[in-house]
Amino acid sequence: VVLGGIVLVIGAAVYLNGDLGFTAVGTAAAMVALAGNSAATLLGRAVNRGHEHPSVVVTAMSMAVGAATLAGVALGTERPWPRLTWGVARVIAWMALVNTAVAFTLWSWVLRHLAAVEASVINNLMLAEIALLGWLFLGERPGLVDALGIGIVLSGTAMAQLTSARQAPPSGTSTAGARAS
């Protein structure tokens, strides 16, 4: 699992140093985002591993806090306020309910059931997903170095998941000792 994670990080470095244009400011912003994402994953994992609340409840509470914070900042800083049409309201509702609520409920479930390294590897697949979506919807064709980096990321992810599957205990047994993290 660890080797797969290392390969994944190497692939991310290759991709991010490719045609995107490496800058110190961008790297600093990425590090801040990485630290925040890591902290959120660790906190979410701790809450979800406690099994005190269903994943849906954990997701609803965290989304409510985040939505209230974002709405407060937006209402305080956005001038003039945007006009809310039915079309915009439908898009916001779709993004909130389907794209966000369903995705984060599944993520809460993942944090509850997978080891931290496994969850981290899945989380890092976003690099490949974003590149694919950029290509499909925005016409951002990856260059040769970008494609190589994405391939390495996918290889590291596969290595980590296959290693983890081989190390998993037989079904029906406790995973506490086998998946300590």
Side-chain angles (χ1 to χ4, degrees), residues 8 41 107 110-111 115-125:
L8 189 145
T41 299
W107 183 242
V110 163
L111 292 176
V117 172
E118 295 168 324
S120 175
V121 168
I122 290 171
N123 198 17
N124 284 306
L125 272 175

Side-chain angles (χ1 to χ4, degrees), residues 55-112:
S55 296
V56 172
V57 172
V58 172
T59 301
M61 294 304 295
S62 62
M63 283 183 63
V65 170
T69 303
L70 285 174
V73 169
L75 292 174
T77 60
E78 189 77 25
R79 297 289 184 261
W81 286 357
R83 198 171 81 104
L84 188 62
T85 65
W86 281 110
V88 170
R90 284 195 311 265
V91 169
I92 291 171
W94 176 265
M95 295 294 291
L97 296 174
V98 178
N99 290 24
T100 305
V102 171
F104 280 109
T105 300
L106 290 171
W107 183 242
S108 291
W109 185 88
V110 163
L111 292 176
R112 179 173 291 184

Side-chain angles (χ1 to χ4, degrees), residues 2 13-14 18 22 24 27 33 55-56 61 65 88 108 110 124 139 141 147-148 153 155 160 162 166 170 174-176:
V2 174
V14 168
F22 174 82
T27 301
S55 296
V56 172
M61 294 304 295
V65 170
V88 170
S108 291
V110 163
N124 284 306
R141 291 189 173 270
L148 177 64
V153 165
S155 297
L162 292 173
R166 283 194 298 265
S174 172
T175 60

Side-chain angles (χ1 to χ4, degrees), residues 102-164:
V102 171
F104 280 109
T105 300
L106 290 171
W107 183 242
S108 291
W109 185 88
V110 163
L111 292 176
R112 179 173 291 184
H113 295 286
L114 295 184
V117 172
E118 295 168 324
S120 175
V121 168
I122 290 171
N123 198 17
N124 284 306
L125 272 175
M126 281 193 288
L127 181 84
E129 293 164 2
I130 290 167
L132 177 64
L133 292 172
W135 181 26
L136 292 175
F137 293 105
L138 302 175
E140 297 174 349
R141 291 189 173 270
L144 183 60
V145 174
D146 300 328
L148 177 64
I150 292 168
I152 296 170
V153 165
L154 294 174
S155 297
T157 302
M159 286 172 60
Q161 293 304 310
L162 292 173
T163 302
S164 175

